[in-house]
Amino acid sequence: MSILISAAAAFCALALLIHLVSVIVAIVRCRPPQRALAPPADAPPVTIVRPVCGVDNFVEDTLASSFALDYPHYEVVFCVAHERDAVVPIVRAMMAAHPHIPARLLVGDDRVSQNPKLNNCVKGWDAAAHDWIVIADSNVLMPADYIQRLLATWRPGCGLVCAPPIGSRPDNIWAELECAFLNTYQARWQYCADALGNGFAQGKTMLWRRADLEAGGGIRALGAELAEDAASTKLVRGLGLDVRLVDAPFAQPLGRRGFREVWRRQTRWARLRRASFPHLFLPEGLSGALMPALALAFVAHVVGWPLWESIGAFAALWYGAELALAAAAGWHVSALSPPIALLRDLLLPWLWLDGLLGTDFVWRGNAMSIAEDAELALDDAR
């Protein structure tokens, strides 16, 4: 019994230590910049490829930010699969309102993979006029110094610069839940991995140098995985280069969300992580506060500590650190943040189990299957 008590206490202490260290790392990396970066004197021309599909919340704000960048030489290439898409009139109106910014809308559905976003982006990559290319989702809100912050992150040995999404402007409880997943949980872990020199690509924002992606087989090579960011990570590492995350990541305004919508998105990402990086997905089952709290409850019960006081102190330290991170980074914080973070952690074991066992999902109306993708990969290898 003493060995079991010691193991439970050690697990709880180690989990709390790792949590606090991860918060400190994220605070250092994610603090908002004190001033906007000016474009460098030798600013290279940049193409921004923005795939669009449907009308998201705040789509006017996010697309308009493409035309408000403080950068001397850039073009915007919007990509849509179908002319009848409801977002097309909005994009055309944006371009007409900003004739001083070179911009185009390309229409077409190039089926190069199972990934609808990659299929949408291929024509934009092929049409890009410049050698530095940013692929940015339509729901990313770009600050005025967006391009220069990406370029400033580039270092010798770098093959890709990315930024995880940071949820902002939640308009109901389920959007608050999405913030809790995106911000103080997923972004925090991504910055910890990046600090250890093990950065992972994030498809929301990706800055490529054309020659690097072409050396790995070109944009069509990203169809090797269902998720283009997982394929990007493996491609860049295969070239002996690193994926780096930009400091102070960019906002994704959320608006209203439904629980089902948030849950489906999280389960899709979990299934994709398990399919692409199974050795890293397995430990996710121990993440969050629930497992170490249960270990602490066991220790407290056995040794006679006051149970609820012990768990309360643990929760105050755990979630207080998350609140400190959100406040320091300038991310969304409200009175709902602590209980919503607790709800997120109660959901994490179920999310992990779903990611472990599930195979099928729907993305932007497209039915996709991890099992089918694995069979195709096996056929290609034969």
Side-chain angles (χ1 to χ4, degrees):
M1 178 63 75
S2 61
I3 295 177
L4 188 58
I5 295 172
S6 298
F11 169 67
C12 178
L14 180 61
L16 182 58
L17 176 62
I18 292 173
H19 179 73
L20 295 177
V21 169
S22 70
V23 165
I24 293 170
V25 169
I27 286 176
V28 171
R29 293 291 305 277
C30 298
R31 287 174 299 182
Q34 295 183 343
R35 62 183 67 86
L37 284 179
D42 58 346
V46 174
T47 295
I48 299 176
V49 176
R50 298 207 80 169
V52 293
C53 178
V55 178
D56 295 319
N57 295 337
F58 301 105
V59 68
E60 291 87 355
D61 291 351
T62 57
L63 295 186
S65 69
S66 310
F67 298 94
L69 303 181
D70 179 22
Y71 196 80
H73 309 295
Y74 77 98
E75 66 168 354
V76 186
V77 181
F78 295 99
C79 300
V80 68
H82 306 289
E83 178 67 40
R84 65 181 180 273
D85 195 297
V87 77
V88 167
I90 297 174
V91 174
R92 295 197 188 281
M94 292 280 181
M95 294 191 298
H98 302 87
H100 58 292
I101 302 295
R104 290 172 283 167
L105 173 63
L106 305 182
V107 182
D109 189 18
D110 302 310
R111 296 299 181 97
V112 301
S113 71
Q114 288 195 74
N115 183 333
K117 175 184 168 182
L118 179 62
N119 296 343
N120 196 12
C121 287
V122 165
K123 56 186 174 291
W125 178 275
D126 291 342
H130 307 307
D131 290 332
W132 289 96
I133 302 174
V134 178
I135 300 176
D137 283 4
S138 60
N139 52 18
V140 173
L141 189 63
M142 300 176 174
D145 62 347
Y146 175 77
I147 295 177
Q148 44 267 49
R149 284 167 59 182
L150 292 173
L151 289 171
T153 307
W154 200 276
R155 300 284 190 278
C158 181
L160 179 60
V161 171
C162 297
I166 298 301
S168 67
R169 305 188 202 176
D171 199 30
N172 66 352
I173 188 172
W174 305 123
E176 294 263 1
L177 178 62
E178 187 151 35
C179 280
F181 273 112
L182 291 175
N183 301 359
T184 55
Y185 179 65
Q186 290 165 349
R188 171 170 56 85
W189 281 117
Q190 284 180 271
Y191 277 97
C192 283
D194 188 61
L196 294 172
N198 196 34
F200 288 82
Q202 181 79 39
K204 285 292 175 182
T205 286
M206 298 196 295
L207 170 67
W208 289 96
R209 185 166 52 187
R210 186 193 295 273
D212 294 327
L213 184 50
E214 296 299 338
I219 190 169
R220 290 161 179 80
L222 302 185
E225 301 272 340
L226 275 179
E228 78 285 349
D229 39 18
S232 298
T233 300
K234 294 180 179 180
L235 184 149
V236 170
R237 291 178 181 175
L239 295 172
L241 301 172
D242 296 325
V243 177
R244 292 184 56 84
L245 296 187
V246 66
D247 290 339
F250 312 116
Q252 175 188 333
L254 301 178
R256 298 187 67 81
R257 290 286 194 266
F259 175 76
R260 195 172 180 182
E261 175 187 7
V262 174
W263 183 248
R264 282 182 171 178
R265 185 157 34 248
Q266 291 299 322
T267 55
R268 168 165 60 87
W269 290 346
R271 293 173 186 184
L272 289 170
R273 289 196 302 273
R274 188 261 297 170
S276 298
F277 303 102
H279 62 293
L280 296 176
F281 175 76
L282 291 178
E284 284 189 27
L286 299 176
S287 66
L290 179 60
M291 296 303 175
L294 290 175
L296 176 60
F298 168 74
V299 173
H301 174 73
V302 172
V303 304
W305 294 346
L307 179 61
W308 294 111
E309 289 85 345
S310 300
I311 294 177
F314 171 84
L317 187 55
W318 188 282
Y319 294 115
E322 285 198 24
L323 287 175
L325 166 57
W331 299 342
H332 172 77
V333 177
S334 74
L336 288 174
S337 295
I340 289 294
L342 174 60
L343 173 61
R344 175 206 66 204
D345 286 353
L346 292 174
L347 291 172
L348 284 178
W350 301 104
L351 178 63
W352 180 82
L353 190 61
D354 183 279
L356 184 66
L357 302 177
T359 57
D360 303 330
F361 56 88
V362 176
W363 183 16
R364 294 280 192 177
N366 297 271
M368 303 174 70
S369 172
I370 293 170
E372 180 181 348
D373 186 60
E375 290 174 4
L376 290 173
L378 182 59
D379 289 340
D380 290 342
R382 288 171 178 166

PDB file of all heavy atoms in Angstrom, residues 154-180:
ATOM      1  N   TRP A 154      11.466  33.262 -38.500  1.00  0.00           N
ATOM      2  CA  TRP A 154      12.291  32.381 -39.336  1.00  0.00           C
ATOM      3  C   TRP A 154      13.742  32.441 -38.892  1.00  0.00           C
ATOM      4  O   TRP A 154      14.287  33.504 -38.640  1.00  0.00           O
ATOM      5  CB  TRP A 154      12.173  32.796 -40.800  1.00  0.00           C
ATOM      6  CG  TRP A 154      12.570  31.709 -41.748  1.00  0.00           C
ATOM      7  CD1 TRP A 154      13.824  31.407 -42.168  1.00  0.00           C
ATOM      8  CD2 TRP A 154      11.693  30.777 -42.386  1.00  0.00           C
ATOM      9  NE1 TRP A 154      13.793  30.348 -43.023  1.00  0.00           N
ATOM     10  CE2 TRP A 154      12.497  29.930 -43.189  1.00  0.00           C
ATOM     11  CE3 TRP A 154      10.316  30.568 -42.366  1.00  0.00           C
ATOM     12  CZ2 TRP A 154      11.966  28.906 -43.971  1.00  0.00           C
ATOM     13  CZ3 TRP A 154       9.784  29.550 -43.125  1.00  0.00           C
ATOM     14  CH2 TRP A 154      10.597  28.739 -43.921  1.00  0.00           C
ATOM     15  N   ARG A 155      14.369  31.287 -38.764  1.00  0.00           N
ATOM     16  CA  ARG A 155      15.765  31.171 -38.347  1.00  0.00           C
ATOM     17  C   ARG A 155      16.486  30.211 -39.294  1.00  0.00           C
ATOM     18  O   ARG A 155      15.837  29.433 -39.988  1.00  0.00           O
ATOM     19  CB  ARG A 155      15.866  30.610 -36.916  1.00  0.00           C
ATOM     20  CG  ARG A 155      15.197  31.438 -35.852  1.00  0.00           C
ATOM     21  CD  ARG A 155      16.003  32.678 -35.487  1.00  0.00           C
ATOM     22  NE  ARG A 155      15.460  33.317 -34.305  1.00  0.00           N
ATOM     23  CZ  ARG A 155      14.414  34.144 -34.300  1.00  0.00           C
ATOM     24  NH1 ARG A 155      13.794  34.409 -35.437  1.00  0.00           N
ATOM     25  NH2 ARG A 155      13.997  34.680 -33.172  1.00  0.00           N
ATOM     26  N   PRO A 156      17.818  30.230 -39.313  1.00  0.00           N
ATOM     27  CA  PRO A 156      18.535  29.202 -40.052  1.00  0.00           C
ATOM     28  C   PRO A 156      18.118  27.808 -39.572  1.00  0.00           C
ATOM     29  O   PRO A 156      17.982  27.571 -38.360  1.00  0.00           O
ATOM     30  CB  PRO A 156      20.004  29.487 -39.710  1.00  0.00           C
ATOM     31  CG  PRO A 156      20.038  30.949 -39.398  1.00  0.00           C
ATOM     32  CD  PRO A 156      18.737  31.231 -38.711  1.00  0.00           C
ATOM     33  N   GLY A 157      17.861  26.908 -40.490  1.00  0.00           N
ATOM     34  CA  GLY A 157      17.403  25.577 -40.135  1.00  0.00           C
ATOM     35  C   GLY A 157      15.900  25.458 -40.016  1.00  0.00           C
ATOM     36  O   GLY A 157      15.382  24.377 -39.744  1.00  0.00           O
ATOM     37  N   CYS A 158      15.185  26.560 -40.219  1.00  0.00           N
ATOM     38  CA  CYS A 158      13.721  26.546 -40.131  1.00  0.00           C
ATOM     39  C   CYS A 158      13.145  26.181 -41.496  1.00  0.00           C
ATOM     40  O   CYS A 158      13.650  26.608 -42.538  1.00  0.00           O
ATOM     41  CB  CYS A 158      13.214  27.912 -39.695  1.00  0.00           C
ATOM     42  SG  CYS A 158      11.421  28.030 -39.507  1.00  0.00           S
ATOM     43  N   GLY A 159      12.086  25.391 -41.488  1.00  0.00           N
ATOM     44  CA  GLY A 159      11.426  25.031 -42.732  1.00  0.00           C
ATOM     45  C   GLY A 159       9.977  25.447 -42.793  1.00  0.00           C
ATOM     46  O   GLY A 159       9.347  25.374 -43.847  1.00  0.00           O
ATOM     47  N   LEU A 160       9.435  25.902 -41.654  1.00  0.00           N
ATOM     48  CA  LEU A 160       8.026  26.275 -41.603  1.00  0.00           C
ATOM     49  C   LEU A 160       7.767  27.058 -40.327  1.00  0.00           C
ATOM     50  O   LEU A 160       8.260  26.690 -39.259  1.00  0.00           O
ATOM     51  CB  LEU A 160       7.149  25.016 -41.623  1.00  0.00           C
ATOM     52  CG  LEU A 160       5.629  25.174 -41.545  1.00  0.00           C
ATOM     53  CD1 LEU A 160       5.106  25.985 -42.719  1.00  0.00           C
ATOM     54  CD2 LEU A 160       4.950  23.800 -41.503  1.00  0.00           C
ATOM     55  N   VAL A 161       7.020  28.159 -40.435  1.00  0.00           N
ATOM     56  CA  VAL A 161       6.601  28.942 -39.278  1.00  0.00           C
ATOM     57  C   VAL A 161       5.083  28.884 -39.189  1.00  0.00           C
ATOM     58  O   VAL A 161       4.380  29.088 -40.197  1.00  0.00           O
ATOM     59  CB  VAL A 161       7.068  30.410 -39.381  1.00  0.00           C
ATOM     60  CG1 VAL A 161       6.426  31.259 -38.288  1.00  0.00           C
ATOM     61  CG2 VAL A 161       8.586  30.495 -39.278  1.00  0.00           C
ATOM     62  N   CYS A 162       4.569  28.585 -37.995  1.00  0.00           N
ATOM     63  CA  CYS A 162       3.131  28.422 -37.787  1.00  0.00           C
ATOM     64  C   CYS A 162       2.670  29.214 -36.564  1.00  0.00           C
ATOM     65  O   CYS A 162       3.480  29.747 -35.802  1.00  0.00           O
ATOM     66  CB  CYS A 162       2.785  26.946 -37.583  1.00  0.00           C
ATOM     67  SG  CYS A 162       3.145  25.908 -39.002  1.00  0.00           S
ATOM     68  N   ALA A 163       1.366  29.246 -36.384  1.00  0.00           N
ATOM     69  CA  ALA A 163       0.774  29.866 -35.197  1.00  0.00           C
ATOM     70  C   ALA A 163      -0.505  29.118 -34.848  1.00  0.00           C
ATOM     71  O   ALA A 163      -1.357  28.935 -35.724  1.00  0.00           O
ATOM     72  CB  ALA A 163       0.472  31.344 -35.437  1.00  0.00           C
ATOM     73  N   PRO A 164      -0.655  28.673 -33.610  1.00  0.00           N
ATOM     74  CA  PRO A 164      -1.913  28.024 -33.219  1.00  0.00           C
ATOM     75  C   PRO A 164      -3.020  29.065 -33.092  1.00  0.00           C
ATOM     76  O   PRO A 164      -2.747  30.247 -32.854  1.00  0.00           O
ATOM     77  CB  PRO A 164      -1.574  27.403 -31.860  1.00  0.00           C
ATOM     78  CG  PRO A 164      -0.478  28.259 -31.320  1.00  0.00           C
ATOM     79  CD  PRO A 164       0.319  28.711 -32.500  1.00  0.00           C
ATOM     80  N   PRO A 165      -4.276  28.664 -33.246  1.00  0.00           N
ATOM     81  CA  PRO A 165      -5.379  29.622 -33.098  1.00  0.00           C
ATOM     82  C   PRO A 165      -5.643  29.924 -31.629  1.00  0.00           C
ATOM     83  O   PRO A 165      -5.558  29.040 -30.777  1.00  0.00           O
ATOM     84  CB  PRO A 165      -6.558  28.882 -33.732  1.00  0.00           C
ATOM     85  CG  PRO A 165      -6.247  27.435 -33.492  1.00  0.00           C
ATOM     86  CD  PRO A 165      -4.750  27.315 -33.580  1.00  0.00           C
ATOM     87  N   ILE A 166      -5.961  31.172 -31.347  1.00  0.00           N
ATOM     88  CA  ILE A 166      -6.342  31.588 -30.003  1.00  0.00           C
ATOM     89  C   ILE A 166      -7.786  32.074 -30.045  1.00  0.00           C
ATOM     90  O   ILE A 166      -8.104  33.051 -30.723  1.00  0.00           O
ATOM     91  CB  ILE A 166      -5.415  32.704 -29.485  1.00  0.00           C
ATOM     92  CG1 ILE A 166      -3.977  32.198 -29.406  1.00  0.00           C
ATOM     93  CG2 ILE A 166      -5.900  33.202 -28.122  1.00  0.00           C
ATOM     94  CD1 ILE A 166      -3.769  31.007 -28.504  1.00  0.00           C
ATOM     95  N   GLY A 167      -8.668  31.361 -29.353  1.00  0.00           N
ATOM     96  CA  GLY A 167     -10.080  31.720 -29.363  1.00  0.00           C
ATOM     97  C   GLY A 167     -10.332  33.074 -28.717  1.00  0.00           C
ATOM     98  O   GLY A 167      -9.789  33.377 -27.651  1.00  0.00           O
ATOM     99  N   SER A 168     -11.141  33.889 -29.375  1.00  0.00           N
ATOM    100  CA  SER A 168     -11.493  35.208 -28.849  1.00  0.00           C
ATOM    101  C   SER A 168     -12.962  35.494 -29.151  1.00  0.00           C
ATOM    102  O   SER A 168     -13.597  34.793 -29.936  1.00  0.00           O
ATOM    103  CB  SER A 168     -10.605  36.287 -29.482  1.00  0.00           C
ATOM    104  OG  SER A 168     -10.882  36.421 -30.872  1.00  0.00           O
ATOM    105  N   ARG A 169     -13.495  36.507 -28.489  1.00  0.00           N
ATOM    106  CA  ARG A 169     -14.872  36.965 -28.681  1.00  0.00           C
ATOM    107  C   ARG A 169     -15.909  35.843 -28.547  1.00  0.00           C
ATOM    108  O   ARG A 169     -16.813  35.717 -29.384  1.00  0.00           O
ATOM    109  CB  ARG A 169     -15.041  37.642 -30.038  1.00  0.00           C
ATOM    110  CG  ARG A 169     -14.077  38.788 -30.315  1.00  0.00           C
ATOM    111  CD  ARG A 169     -14.493  39.493 -31.592  1.00  0.00           C
ATOM    112  NE  ARG A 169     -13.393  40.232 -32.191  1.00  0.00           N
ATOM    113  CZ  ARG A 169     -13.467  40.873 -33.348  1.00  0.00           C
ATOM    114  NH1 ARG A 169     -14.609  40.872 -34.034  1.00  0.00           N
ATOM    115  NH2 ARG A 169     -12.422  41.512 -33.842  1.00  0.00           N
ATOM    116  N   PRO A 170     -15.807  35.006 -27.516  1.00  0.00           N
ATOM    117  CA  PRO A 170     -16.854  33.984 -27.338  1.00  0.00           C
ATOM    118  C   PRO A 170     -18.168  34.648 -26.941  1.00  0.00           C
ATOM    119  O   PRO A 170     -18.196  35.599 -26.161  1.00  0.00           O
ATOM    120  CB  PRO A 170     -16.293  33.120 -26.206  1.00  0.00           C
ATOM    121  CG  PRO A 170     -15.436  34.060 -25.412  1.00  0.00           C
ATOM    122  CD  PRO A 170     -14.820  34.993 -26.413  1.00  0.00           C
ATOM    123  N   ASP A 171     -19.275  34.116 -27.473  1.00  0.00           N
ATOM    124  CA  ASP A 171     -20.573  34.756 -27.246  1.00  0.00           C
ATOM    125  C   ASP A 171     -21.549  33.866 -26.492  1.00  0.00           C
ATOM    126  O   ASP A 171     -22.702  34.237 -26.311  1.00  0.00           O
ATOM    127  CB  ASP A 171     -21.178  35.164 -28.597  1.00  0.00           C
ATOM    128  CG  ASP A 171     -22.261  36.215 -28.456  1.00  0.00           C
ATOM    129  OD1 ASP A 171     -22.190  37.024 -27.513  1.00  0.00           O
ATOM    130  OD2 ASP A 171     -23.199  36.211 -29.284  1.00  0.00           O
ATOM    131  N   ASN A 172     -21.107  32.680 -26.072  1.00  0.00           N
ATOM    132  CA  ASN A 172     -21.944  31.833 -25.227  1.00  0.00           C
ATOM    133  C   ASN A 172     -21.050  30.825 -24.507  1.00  0.00           C
ATOM    134  O   ASN A 172     -19.826  30.801 -24.696  1.00  0.00           O
ATOM    135  CB  ASN A 172     -23.062  31.148 -26.024  1.00  0.00           C
ATOM    136  CG  ASN A 172     -22.536  30.149 -27.038  1.00  0.00           C
ATOM    137  OD1 ASN A 172     -21.338  30.045 -27.274  1.00  0.00           O
ATOM    138  ND2 ASN A 172     -23.446  29.395 -27.653  1.00  0.00           N
ATOM    139  N   ILE A 173     -21.662  29.983 -23.709  1.00  0.00           N
ATOM    140  CA  ILE A 173     -20.892  29.085 -22.839  1.00  0.00           C
ATOM    141  C   ILE A 173     -20.079  28.080 -23.657  1.00  0.00           C
ATOM    142  O   ILE A 173     -18.960  27.722 -23.273  1.00  0.00           O
ATOM    143  CB  ILE A 173     -21.837  28.370 -21.850  1.00  0.00           C
ATOM    144  CG1 ILE A 173     -21.023  27.582 -20.807  1.00  0.00           C
ATOM    145  CG2 ILE A 173     -22.816  27.463 -22.571  1.00  0.00           C
ATOM    146  CD1 ILE A 173     -21.888  27.018 -19.695  1.00  0.00           C
ATOM    147  N   TRP A 174     -20.615  27.643 -24.802  1.00  0.00           N
ATOM    148  CA  TRP A 174     -19.882  26.634 -25.572  1.00  0.00           C
ATOM    149  C   TRP A 174     -18.711  27.252 -26.326  1.00  0.00           C
ATOM    150  O   TRP A 174     -17.706  26.580 -26.562  1.00  0.00           O
ATOM    151  CB  TRP A 174     -20.831  25.900 -26.507  1.00  0.00           C
ATOM    152  CG  TRP A 174     -21.992  25.292 -25.765  1.00  0.00           C
ATOM    153  CD1 TRP A 174     -23.320  25.510 -25.986  1.00  0.00           C
ATOM    154  CD2 TRP A 174     -21.922  24.398 -24.643  1.00  0.00           C
ATOM    155  NE1 TRP A 174     -24.077  24.805 -25.080  1.00  0.00           N
ATOM    156  CE2 TRP A 174     -23.247  24.113 -24.253  1.00  0.00           C
ATOM    157  CE3 TRP A 174     -20.867  23.805 -23.937  1.00  0.00           C
ATOM    158  CZ2 TRP A 174     -23.546  23.264 -23.191  1.00  0.00           C
ATOM    159  CZ3 TRP A 174     -21.170  22.966 -22.874  1.00  0.00           C
ATOM    160  CH2 TRP A 174     -22.481  22.701 -22.515  1.00  0.00           C
ATOM    161  N   ALA A 175     -18.825  28.515 -26.684  1.00  0.00           N
ATOM    162  CA  ALA A 175     -17.662  29.207 -27.238  1.00  0.00           C
ATOM    163  C   ALA A 175     -16.603  29.410 -26.152  1.00  0.00           C
ATOM    164  O   ALA A 175     -15.397  29.355 -26.432  1.00  0.00           O
ATOM    165  CB  ALA A 175     -18.079  30.547 -27.833  1.00  0.00           C
ATOM    166  N   GLU A 176     -17.049  29.619 -24.917  1.00  0.00           N
ATOM    167  CA  GLU A 176     -16.102  29.680 -23.789  1.00  0.00           C
ATOM    168  C   GLU A 176     -15.362  28.342 -23.656  1.00  0.00           C
ATOM    169  O   GLU A 176     -14.151  28.312 -23.395  1.00  0.00           O
ATOM    170  CB  GLU A 176     -16.846  29.988 -22.493  1.00  0.00           C
ATOM    171  CG  GLU A 176     -17.489  31.365 -22.419  1.00  0.00           C
ATOM    172  CD  GLU A 176     -16.614  32.374 -21.684  1.00  0.00           C
ATOM    173  OE1 GLU A 176     -15.507  32.003 -21.251  1.00  0.00           O
ATOM    174  OE2 GLU A 176     -17.059  33.524 -21.545  1.00  0.00           O
ATOM    175  N   LEU A 177     -16.092  27.245 -23.848  1.00  0.00           N
ATOM    176  CA  LEU A 177     -15.463  25.924 -23.777  1.00  0.00           C
ATOM    177  C   LEU A 177     -14.422  25.771 -24.888  1.00  0.00           C
ATOM    178  O   LEU A 177     -13.331  25.216 -24.658  1.00  0.00           O
ATOM    179  CB  LEU A 177     -16.528  24.831 -23.885  1.00  0.00           C
ATOM    180  CG  LEU A 177     -16.020  23.384 -23.884  1.00  0.00           C
ATOM    181  CD1 LEU A 177     -15.304  23.060 -22.582  1.00  0.00           C
ATOM    182  CD2 LEU A 177     -17.176  22.410 -24.124  1.00  0.00           C
ATOM    183  N   GLU A 178     -14.734  26.270 -26.076  1.00  0.00           N
ATOM    184  CA  GLU A 178     -13.755  26.184 -27.155  1.00  0.00           C
ATOM    185  C   GLU A 178     -12.509  27.002 -26.826  1.00  0.00           C
ATOM    186  O   GLU A 178     -11.382  26.587 -27.126  1.00  0.00           O
ATOM    187  CB  GLU A 178     -14.370  26.646 -28.476  1.00  0.00           C
ATOM    188  CG  GLU A 178     -13.448  26.417 -29.660  1.00  0.00           C
ATOM    189  CD  GLU A 178     -14.193  26.192 -30.957  1.00  0.00           C
ATOM    190  OE1 GLU A 178     -15.251  26.803 -31.164  1.00  0.00           O
ATOM    191  OE2 GLU A 178     -13.703  25.395 -31.773  1.00  0.00           O
ATOM    192  N   CYS A 179     -12.690  28.159 -26.201  1.00  0.00           N
ATOM    193  CA  CYS A 179     -11.533  28.937 -25.746  1.00  0.00           C
ATOM    194  C   CYS A 179     -10.679  28.131 -24.768  1.00  0.00           C
ATOM    195  O   CYS A 179      -9.448  28.155 -24.834  1.00  0.00           O
ATOM    196  CB  CYS A 179     -11.992  30.233 -25.070  1.00  0.00           C
ATOM    197  SG  CYS A 179     -12.435  31.562 -26.197  1.00  0.00           S
ATOM    198  N   ALA A 180     -11.338  27.429 -23.850  1.00  0.00           N
ATOM    199  CA  ALA A 180     -10.599  26.646 -22.858  1.00  0.00           C
ATOM    200  C   ALA A 180      -9.787  25.536 -23.521  1.00  0.00           C
ATOM    201  O   ALA A 180      -8.680  25.218 -23.067  1.00  0.00           O
ATOM    202  CB  ALA A 180     -11.573  26.055 -21.833  1.00  0.00           C
TER     203      ALA A 180
END
